[in-house]
Amino acid sequence: MWCRRSNVAGSRMTAKWCVAGCGCVVFLLLLATLICQPVQSQTFIRRTANVCRTDDECPMQAYCERYNSVHEYGVCSCMAGYFAVTDANSTRRCLRAATDIGDYCLHNDQCQYTLSTDSECRDNSCQCREGAHYVEREKRCYKTSFLGDYCRLTNNCIGNGTYCRDGVCVCTPGKHANNDRNRCLQDAKLGDPCFRDEECVTDNSRCAQEVCTCRVSHVLNEHRNRCLPIASKIYDLCEEHIQCLYNIPYSQCRITTGTDGITSGRCTCANRFHEMNLKCHSSVHLNGICEVNENCIDIDTACIHGRCRCIDHLIEVNGVCSGAVSMVYRSSVILILTLVTLGTSYGIS
């Protein structure tokens, strides 16, 4: 008894006749075994489901694979490095799998075969999907985690010198994240060579003339390992004298401890200098050499002809300017002038 069997979907073989019974059953079992046999080390389909007897009956880049030499029929399988894809007309063909980023492609599967599901075929070129990056050492695309972000794998962390520690992307010791958090930079301390500001790790430092130094608003401390803010006026907070002296001549940083036990410093005038109008001036006493009125520290004195003198209508008495003696003196002068006037009026000579 004969039975007529139609072509398997996608096969280029013409209609065949086979003997019903054991022969047909054996063939069907062979076909099912070949199609369903698991593929090792990949999840992409290599078999096209085309039934064949010779390689010529298979699509391009495919060959006729038999379960063993006893069976007459086999199934078309893609060659190594190729896999089967289904076209719009429901036929399968073999396409070459991409081997590296940027390879030519027609389907996403060509890229994902090697580069992972985080890749895609974009403009006929295999690229990582948006939000993913290429890891050269693995030749694969991974979802991107920036420095400081959550990660599952070290490969998630973008940039060289990064790794995943306790679920967070960090830099290796001796390096730090750049401003964009996508690259690790070598730590550069004050005085170390540099090319960009972001390489300098000291707070308030910058790269000037290829060396890490303090910003213009800060000054290097005594131990040359910190940048301290420059004081702009008397009574500003400070830690070292240089902060005050940079903008305020004849000043110093006076460190005091408050009743609450907290120690702090403020810019004040140095010894033998005093503050006036938020500036420090040399202190000059009465009769001392001066340059400006602000030098004269005693009450009722001013810089007159290069020396601190008593101001108008005051005279020096025992090293101080006194107004009482001046009043007596003026009263005596007035009395004498009055007597002279009266004497003249009465003819007294």
Side-chain angles (χ1 to χ4, degrees):
M1 180 178 178
W2 298 86
C3 64
R4 191 177 189 279
R5 182 177 58 80
S6 61
N7 288 346
V8 178
S11 173
R12 296 181 303 174
M13 295 181 62
T14 58
K16 299 293 182 180
W17 292 88
C18 65
V19 178
C22 294
C24 221
V25 172
V26 170
F27 171 75
L28 292 175
L29 289 175
L30 170 62
L31 180 60
T33 301
L34 289 173
I35 294 177
C36 300
Q37 183 178 352
V39 181
Q40 300 297 325
S41 72
Q42 64 185 38
T43 59
F44 290 85
I45 298 174
R46 288 184 52 238
R47 294 185 174 87
T48 66
N50 298 65
V51 178
C52 60
R53 287 189 300 181
T54 64
D55 293 345
D56 294 337
E57 297 173 344
C58 295
M60 293 182 61
Q61 310 300 338
Y63 65 97
C64 190
E65 181 181 11
R66 293 180 177 82
Y67 184 68
N68 56 52
S69 59
V70 176
H71 300 290
E72 179 182 2
Y73 295 99
V75 176
C76 293
S77 296
C78 295
M79 294 181 179
Y82 291 79
F83 63 94
V85 295
T86 303
D87 289 333
N89 58 3
S90 299
T91 60
R92 283 187 173 179
R93 59 173 173 157
C94 295
L95 291 180
R96 184 178 182 84
T99 59
D100 204 348
I101 198 78
D103 282 359
Y104 178 80
C105 59
L106 295 173
H107 293 264
N108 286 337
D109 288 347
Q110 289 179 266
C111 308
Q112 295 174 358
Y113 184 88
T114 303
L115 304 177
S116 84
T117 55
D118 289 314
S119 63
E120 64 180 353
C121 183
R122 189 190 316 145
D123 298 328
N124 297 123
S125 175
C126 285
Q127 302 293 332
C128 294
R129 292 184 184 274
E130 184 177 357
H133 64 280
Y134 184 68
V135 178
E136 180 68 30
R137 61 179 177 271
E138 301 289 345
K139 301 292 185 181
R140 291 172 65 85
C141 294
Y142 290 87
K143 289 184 178 179
T144 298
S145 294
F146 290 93
L147 287 164
D149 289 347
Y150 168 78
C151 56
R152 293 183 63 251
L153 304 169
T154 292
N155 288 333
N156 292 136
C157 302
I158 191 170
N160 294 329
T162 62
Y163 69 102
C164 187
R165 184 183 66 189
D166 299 329
V168 178
C169 289
V170 297
C171 292
T172 54
K175 294 185 177 182
H176 64 280
N178 66 341
N179 294 335
D180 294 328
R181 299 190 300 124
N182 60 3
R183 189 157 52 95
C184 288
L185 303 175
Q186 192 70 36
D187 290 349
K189 299 179 181 179
L190 291 171
D192 289 346
C194 60
F195 295 99
R196 296 178 296 275
D197 288 349
E198 59 184 355
E199 295 178 15
C200 302
V201 294
T202 305
D203 290 341
N204 300 304
S205 63
R206 62 168 183 155
C207 186
Q209 297 181 350
E210 298 185 356
V211 175
C212 285
T213 185
C214 293
R215 296 187 179 277
V216 294
S217 58
H218 289 68
V219 65
L220 189 64
N221 72 334
E222 183 178 354
H223 295 293
R224 307 182 68 82
N225 60 359
R226 294 175 59 204
C227 292
L228 303 176
I230 297 174
S232 60
K233 61 183 182 301
I234 288 292
Y235 306 126
D236 279 354
L237 292 173
C238 61
E239 296 181 37
E240 297 184 6
H241 295 318
I242 188 62
Q243 293 176 261
C244 307
L245 288 170
Y246 199 91
N247 275 338
I248 312 168
Y250 316 117
S251 63
Q252 65 179 357
C253 183
R254 180 170 296 175
I255 308 296
T256 58
T257 302
T259 56
D260 54 1
I262 298 177
T263 300
S264 62
R266 289 190 179 274
C267 291
T268 61
C269 293
N271 295 332
R272 295 189 296 181
F273 289 85
H274 63 279
E275 180 270 328
M276 183 173 291
N277 300 325
L278 299 179
K279 294 182 179 180
C280 293
H281 301 274
S282 58
S283 300
V284 179
H285 290 284
L286 186 62
N287 297 320
I289 298 175
C290 59
E291 295 179 355
V292 292
N293 290 334
E294 286 79 359
N295 292 139
C296 301
I297 193 173
D298 294 325
I299 299 176
D300 298 327
T301 59
C303 188
I304 302 174
H305 304 303
R307 286 188 178 273
C308 289
R309 304 290 190 185
C310 294
I311 59 176
D312 294 341
H313 312 304
L314 297 179
I315 62 174
E316 179 185 350
V317 178
N318 297 326
V320 296
C321 296
S322 175
V325 176
S326 178
M327 290 296 295
V328 172
Y329 175 78
R330 283 190 293 173
S331 298
S332 300
V333 171
I334 293 173
L335 178 60
I336 293 173
L337 291 175
T338 301
L339 292 175
V340 170
T341 302
L342 291 174
T344 303
S345 300
Y346 291 99
I348 301 174
S349 58

